[in-house]
Amino acid sequence: MFISFYIIGLIISLTEIIIGMFGNGFIAIIYCIDWVKSRKLFSCDMILTCLAMSRILLQGIFTAHIIIHTFAPGTFHLKQVQKSLSFLWLFANTAGLWITACLGIFYYVKITICNQPLFLRMKQKISVMVPKLLLWSLLVSFVTSIPLIRVEYSFYLCISTGRLFSNSTVKAKTWDVSYLYFTLLYSAASFIPFIIFLTTSILLISSLWRHTRNMQCNTTGLWDPSIEAHISAIKALISCLILYIFYFVAVIVSALPTCLTDHTWTRTITSMILAAYPSGHSLILILINPKLKQALVRILQIIKCHLKRKKIKSYHMTPEISQPS
């Protein structure tokens, strides 16, 4: 039963990763093409491009982790492999969380209607601040990931004695303390962008909801496309928020030592959630962003026309079977 559950979880995780790779790759390619053509990138497009690239890196590392864990599990006991993969994963994950927080701040400042002087000034300056916010996000993510290089993984993997806090040597206890310090730093680095995104999302959803209710009260009873657009935006934001909360919990669980979590059920479910968020969020961003949605529709139309022409061509090239006289 455990093996079957692990295999099902592995298939689901790989499927989510493939979908996420295509979704985030699509976002990055579309905006990179726009940047090459126009030699400039709008603030929101810049955030989405950086977010897509960080998630491509994250899902690539996650794929390597799954492949190594499945086909060469003994490789994880090599310190260089552990530290390299963990450092890259932590950097990509933390960068993704901070860039998502930047996206939440940008959407909140740009969309929310408020007459406060400080808020209006921030609305004017937010586009100029975006490159600096992204740079600080990458810098904080890199600095936060550096202590992971000096952490001893025997404490995380619980392979020294099999029990938590039961090491006897001074060296082992020092490593234990270093891992606890890292866990606190890692939790803080993940918790701060989580709170920022959670706060901005709730405030933005509340603002959109109030604006939608006012529009519904002032409408004449006819169908208003702007109201439907606001409702769709609220649904998309709520979906992103739910995915983000589950992902944040999974990130915290993945940082716990293996002694504290079940090796099959917890780790498999955590892996599925970790793979689901970057994929699901990228699809939501494509569907709610007009530029990305139009580009996707054009690509699908081109593929449809190509398949239709290919089908017609193959039909005409098929030789007719002569009937016996």
Side-chain angles (χ1 to χ4, degrees), residues 48-243:
L48 292 176
T49 304
C50 292
L51 183 60
M53 289 182 175
S54 68
R55 286 174 172 172
I56 291 172
L57 176 61
L58 179 66
Q59 291 176 316
I61 297 166
F62 198 56
T63 304
H65 186 279
I66 291 177
I67 292 173
I68 293 174
H69 183 73
T70 304
F71 298 102
T75 309
F76 280 112
H77 296 293
L78 301 176
K79 289 185 178 181
Q80 291 303 117
V81 176
Q82 291 174 354
K83 291 182 178 181
S84 300
L85 285 177
S86 299
F87 173 81
L88 290 173
W89 185 86
L90 181 61
F91 171 74
N93 176 69
T94 310
L97 293 176
W98 277 105
I99 296 172
T100 304
C102 293
L103 184 65
I105 294 172
F106 182 83
Y107 279 155
Y108 172 69
V109 173
K110 279 292 185 180
I111 297 175
T112 304
I113 300 174
C114 183
N115 295 323
Q116 293 293 333
L118 181 62
F119 189 86
L120 293 176
R121 182 178 177 81
M122 191 174 179
K123 188 185 285 285
Q124 295 173 351
K125 298 288 186 180
I126 188 65
S127 297
V128 181
M129 294 169 58
V130 164
K132 296 179 182 179
L133 290 174
L134 293 175
L135 183 61
W136 274 106
S137 299
L138 296 176
L139 183 61
V140 169
S141 303
F142 181 78
V143 172
T144 307
S145 306
I146 290 177
L148 191 62
I149 300 175
R150 301 187 60 85
V151 171
E152 178 59 47
Y153 283 84
S154 62
F155 183 74
Y156 172 75
L157 298 174
C158 302
I159 60 176
S160 56
T161 61
R163 291 180 296 171
L164 199 59
F165 303 114
S166 60
N167 297 324
S168 57
T169 63
V170 175
K171 183 178 179 181
K173 290 180 179 179
T174 303
W175 283 119
D176 292 357
V177 172
S178 72
Y179 184 83
L180 290 177
Y181 285 150
F182 160 73
T183 304
L184 293 175
L185 181 63
Y186 172 73
S187 301
S190 303
F191 186 72
I192 294 173
F194 170 73
I195 291 299
I196 293 174
F197 182 77
L198 182 67
T199 304
T200 54
S201 297
I202 293 175
L203 290 175
L204 182 56
I205 291 170
S206 301
S207 177
L208 286 173
W209 179 253
R210 287 196 303 268
H211 187 61
T212 304
R213 292 297 297 269
N214 292 332
M215 293 172 64
Q216 288 175 340
C217 293
N218 296 328
T219 189
T220 58
L222 299 175
W223 177 75
D224 191 349
S226 59
I227 295 178
E228 184 176 349
H230 278 74
I231 294 175
S232 299
I234 293 172
K235 291 179 180 179
L237 283 170
I238 293 174
S239 302
C240 292
L241 189 59
I242 293 173
L243 283 172

Side-chain angles (χ1 to χ4, degrees), residues 237-254:
L237 283 170
I238 293 174
S239 302
C240 292
L241 189 59
I242 293 173
L243 283 172
Y244 191 93
I245 292 172
F246 277 103
Y247 179 76
F248 176 75
V249 174
V251 165
I252 298 300
V253 172
S254 66

